[in-house]
Amino acid sequence: PSPSETIIPWRSIMLQINILYVGNIKDKFFAEAVKEYEKRMSSFCKIKNIELKEEKPPENPSDAEIALVIRKEGDRLLEAMPKKGYKIALCVEGTQISSEELAKKLSSVTVAGDSEITFIIGGAFGMDERVKKAANFRLSISKMTFTHRMMRVILAEQIYRALNILAGGSYHK
């Protein structure tokens, strides 16, 4: 085919991005930032938020109580996780990649046949190992620690940036 007839594979399908996360965003400024990036993403993909209930630990929880919180939230994440598609768990021990590499990852996943990609964010105490094992890829945004609410904003911005890179846009420059 001529260059004008060439279809860019990742744009030839309707990409479904799911954000599966524990806990809601209580801060209005975080919620507004997520909403803005999701609005921007809507020209590139469908986006679905799957919010799960956050487990409430006792005050000053013991290690065993924290482990129980992580396990219960893990049960919820595993139950809510879409059965199909490519799953990316956000965890500190995951692989750190650049924005350009994230764009390539999204492109390669769709070229391989998955039109649904689910990003998974654990709760305040982290993510159950079972959830990490159920994911296809473990992604670390940074070695730094962020609140899981702030991570929603950072993730939304990075997904938008990656989609913009794939579309040949200038946002990422």
Side-chain angles (χ1 to χ4, degrees):
S2 73
S4 64
E5 296 172 346
T6 302
I7 297 173
I8 299 170
W10 76 273
R11 296 284 281 168
S12 65
I13 56 170
M14 182 41 110
L15 180 61
Q16 172 71 48
I17 298 277
N18 301 314
I19 312 292
L20 174 60
Y21 56 93
V22 175
N24 61 8
I25 295 182
K26 297 174 183 172
D27 301 302
K28 185 178 178 182
F29 55 92
F30 284 151
E32 288 174 356
V34 167
K35 190 175 180 180
E36 175 61 28
Y37 284 115
E38 289 179 349
K39 183 177 86 176
R40 293 179 187 190
M41 279 187 265
S42 68
S43 63
F44 301 113
C45 66
K46 291 182 185 177
I47 187 128
K48 179 179 179 184
N49 287 292
I50 306 165
E51 180 182 306
L52 303 177
K53 181 180 174 258
E54 189 173 19
E55 194 66 27
K56 298 293 181 198
E59 195 167 319
N60 300 315
S62 67
D63 289 345
E65 290 167 326
I66 290 171
L68 182 61
V69 166
I70 292 170
R71 180 152 189 90
K72 286 181 177 181
E73 290 176 349
D75 290 341
R76 289 186 192 117
L77 286 166
L78 289 167
E79 178 66 29
M81 195 180 295
K83 304 302 179 225
K84 63 179 181 168
Y86 194 86
K87 296 157 193 73
I88 299 174
L90 275 68
C91 47
V92 71
E93 74 278 7
T95 304
Q96 289 187 14
I97 60 176
S98 68
S99 299
E100 290 81 3
E101 290 168 323
L102 178 60
K104 288 177 187 172
K105 171 67 84 180
L106 297 182
S107 179
S108 68
V109 165
T110 58
V111 168
D114 280 317
S115 61
E116 184 172 0
I117 300 172
T118 301
F119 289 87
I120 307 158
I121 302 173
F125 292 106
M127 185 181 295
D128 190 300
E129 189 62 33
R130 297 170 301 153
V131 177
K132 295 175 191 178
K133 287 181 180 175
N136 302 93
F137 184 72
R138 295 179 189 195
L139 174 64
S140 173
I141 298 294
S142 171
K143 290 181 181 180
M144 294 181 192
T145 302
F146 298 100
T147 66
H148 59 292
R149 290 174 176 92
M150 185 178 288
M151 187 50 56
R152 292 252 335 270
V153 177
I154 295 168
L155 177 62
E157 192 278 339
Q158 283 299 300
I159 294 170
Y160 171 69
R161 183 178 297 269
L163 294 171
N164 193 276
I165 289 168
L166 289 172
S170 61
Y171 172 78
H172 68 286
K173 295 179 181 177

